[in-house]
Amino acid sequence: MNTETPLEADLLIHAKWTLPMVPAGLVLDDHSVAVKDKKIIAVCGTAQARKTIRATQTIELPQHVLIPGLVNAHGHAPMALFRGVADDMPLKQWLEEHIWPLEGKLVDRQFVHEGASLAIAEMISGGITCFADMYFYPGEVAKAALDAHIRVQLASPILDFPTVWAQDADEYILKATQLHDDFRSSDLIYTAFGPHAPYTVSDAPLQKLAMLAEELDVPIHMHVHETAQEVADAVAEDGRRPLQRLNQLGLITPRLLCVHATQLLDAEMDLLNEQGASVIHCPESNLKLASGFCEVAKLLGKSVNVALGTDGAASNNDLDLFSEMRTAALVAKAVADDASAVPAQQVLEMATINGAKALGIEHLIGSIEIGKFADIAAVNLDELNTAPQNNPQSHLVYAAKSSQVSHVWCGGVAILEEGNLQTLDSALLHTTARSWQSKIADSEQ
């Protein structure tokens, strides 16, 4: 850095600690991050920054830790409106007897936009700056994300059967490719194909998706091996486990995101590693639906990229990645029967850089590095539950609450300041949520 001519910045953040995530495990004390034109232009000691960087805006965070904006790598944002309507039942019953009938009655563009806006507000408040979403009317989710100035990857749903969004697999795929064209130049909206699951999409559409994903260079985001019943049903139907079928169809590549993956054989983990596919771990949804346990420690030990997702608020029932990090760490230790399995730093990576890698945008986000978008969250550790501040990495995973997120920037734009939403109207969100509460209650009668 030139110490004679001040570096000009739009934003300069001084913090007690900075966890850049790259290189892994690094904790920077008394460091600052400078931002210009959406991107990080400097990460240096605060004493040096005060002397050499001249910024339009300077933020002082003396009791805070800066982390990359969290990446929620799997969810169904509009389903926030279904929070609490169908609890305490297994996945099949939950879907077929409650969620799908409700969706048939209620889901339209307004539902999706207002549900997504509610979910986005919750995610921003918890330090999330990028989320992957699989739901109908994805263009409405995109509008909500643009209004809130948050990053999203839209995994357009694809199924064999008709829904409110499309009539057959060809129409779903056509709409997904149109969405890709609509947002190909956006730096906030990214796209993916979202075939729902192996049991809801037949071979011909999956083969078509494999070719299109390669042609357009976009991910394939899919629920895979979510439950033991899913695997058993597949074997009973054609003698193959779902991953074996997906492999034979050419889907297991670095573009594939396997969501849940609670039922994996060692050979299947090796296959995911060899082909470069990612696993999206949703521990709290898995626990609530009793879907099974993802063997995270074993996957990481086999060098499989594992990211974190909340799933939808209808099955979680929140969109809190801090809670998800803690649950992921604790369950991983119990599953591995090893207290040293999946330490705090690895969980932080799962919620940041691993998520960015799964979405195929790790060159843009996921770490606090020069040249990347300034997607940053600040967490106030000056609270009783995180005192004394012996280890900021540990505190973020094992002690901190999402309510301790004080500031969030996406591309250098402040979307949360002192815990207050900057791009969304909290009062309006409460009003629309109450309206949908009445509609849902009426539809259940």
Side-chain angles (χ1 to χ4, degrees):
M1 184 183 300
N2 188 334
T3 58
E4 296 177 0
T5 303
L7 185 65
E8 300 290 339
D10 300 325
L11 172 66
L12 181 59
I13 311 166
H14 302 307
K16 177 59 181 172
W17 303 276
T18 299
L19 305 184
M21 293 300 136
V22 175
L26 181 63
V27 179
L28 301 173
D29 294 319
D30 298 313
H31 267 61
S32 302
V33 178
V35 179
K36 187 174 179 61
D37 297 330
K38 303 180 183 181
K39 295 189 176 181
I40 297 166
I41 60 170
V43 181
C44 61
T46 296
Q48 181 185 359
R50 292 189 191 280
K51 295 176 183 177
T52 61
I53 300 173
R54 185 167 59 199
T56 304
Q57 181 185 23
T58 299
I59 305 290
E60 302 279 352
L61 299 174
Q63 301 295 333
H64 297 63
V65 55
L66 295 183
I67 59 174
L70 300 178
V71 178
N72 184 357
H74 175 70
H76 313 279
M79 295 181 80
L81 294 175
F82 289 146
R83 195 191 318 261
V85 301
D87 287 331
D88 308 320
M89 60 187 70
L91 175 64
K92 184 177 174 65
Q93 180 186 3
W94 177 78
L95 274 176
E96 295 179 359
E97 297 180 18
H98 296 272
I99 296 302
W100 285 347
L102 273 174
E103 287 179 332
K105 294 177 182 178
L106 294 173
V107 173
D108 58 14
R109 292 184 180 278
Q110 181 185 3
F111 176 97
V112 171
H113 189 273
E114 293 179 355
S117 296
L118 176 64
I120 287 168
E122 181 182 355
M123 287 190 278
I124 290 172
S125 298
I128 294 168
T129 57
C130 179
F131 68 105
D133 201 62
M134 180 192 287
Y135 209 66
F136 311 115
Y137 301 107
E140 294 298 322
V141 180
K143 291 177 186 177
L146 288 170
D147 288 344
H149 201 84
I150 188 174
R151 230 171 286 283
V152 62
Q153 184 171 88
L154 303 165
S156 296
I158 295 159
L159 304 109
D160 281 342
F161 51 83
T163 65
V164 295
W165 173 233
Q167 292 304 301
D168 55 29
D170 286 339
E171 187 180 358
Y172 288 107
I173 293 171
L174 175 62
K175 288 188 171 184
T177 54
Q178 289 174 338
L179 194 77
H180 177 76
D181 289 339
D182 291 343
F183 293 104
R184 64 169 62 248
S185 61
S186 175
D187 61 17
L188 285 177
I189 311 298
Y190 305 87
T191 58
F193 291 116
H196 171 259
Y199 58 88
T200 52
V201 189
S202 52
D203 284 4
L206 289 176
Q207 287 175 313
K208 186 174 182 179
L209 288 176
M211 292 185 291
L212 281 171
E214 182 174 354
E215 179 184 328
L216 300 176
D217 192 22
V218 299
I220 295 176
H221 190 122
M222 190 177 197
H223 302 93
V224 177
H225 286 220
E226 183 172 359
T227 65
Q229 189 65 50
E230 172 195 338
V231 177
D233 289 348
V235 171
E237 182 175 336
D238 74 357
R240 294 176 296 174
R241 291 167 63 87
L243 272 174
Q244 182 183 358
R245 172 173 163 243
L246 294 181
N247 190 38
Q248 291 171 353
L249 292 172
L251 264 75
I252 303 184
T253 73
R255 295 185 182 86
L256 181 65
L257 286 67
C258 301
V259 182
H260 298 297
T262 67
Q263 314 290 322
L264 295 178
L265 304 175
D266 281 3
E268 291 166 337
M269 296 184 193
D270 291 335
L271 175 66
L272 296 180
N273 170 45
E274 291 162 7
Q275 301 297 334
S278 293
V279 166
I280 312 301
H281 181 36
C282 304
E284 294 187 352
S285 178
N286 293 344
L287 288 168
K288 185 165 182 284
L289 294 170
S291 296
F293 298 102
C294 179
E295 294 187 86
V296 175
K298 189 177 286 188
L299 283 163
L300 292 171
K302 291 177 178 288
S303 299
V304 175
N305 182 57
V306 181
L308 272 184
T310 59
D311 211 349
S315 66
N316 186 313
N317 291 19
D318 58 37
L319 306 177
D320 183 343
L321 265 186
F322 280 84
S323 174
E324 216 72 42
M325 283 194 289
R326 183 178 303 114
T327 300
L330 298 179
V331 170
K333 297 174 191 305
V335 169
D337 193 23
D338 179 1
S340 68
V342 192
Q345 174 61 30
Q346 273 193 313
V347 178
L348 287 167
E349 291 166 11
M350 289 164 60
T352 54
I353 190 65
N354 290 13
K357 181 179 180 182
L359 272 54
I361 52 176
E362 73 273 22
H363 59 296
L364 300 174
I365 67 166
S367 59
I368 298 178
E369 292 184 87
I370 293 171
K372 287 194 175 184
F373 283 120
D375 291 10
I376 301 168
V379 185
N380 182 6
L381 296 187
D382 191 26
E383 300 287 349
L384 292 176
N385 57 293
T386 46
Q389 290 89 32
N390 294 318
N391 184 335
Q393 293 162 299
S394 170
H395 293 346
L396 286 170
V397 173
Y398 296 121
K401 302 173 183 176
S402 60
S403 58
Q404 290 172 250
V405 175
S406 62
H407 296 71
V408 178
W409 296 269
C410 184
V413 174
I415 55 178
L416 189 78
E417 285 187 348
E418 300 293 350
N420 297 310
L421 293 166
Q422 299 299 296
T423 54
L424 290 164
D425 184 335
S426 296
L428 178 61
L429 291 170
H430 281 293
T431 299
T432 56
R434 284 191 291 270
S435 174
W436 281 108
Q437 179 182 340
S438 299
K439 294 175 185 177
I440 290 166
D442 290 344
S443 71
E444 289 185 302
Q445 293 177 356

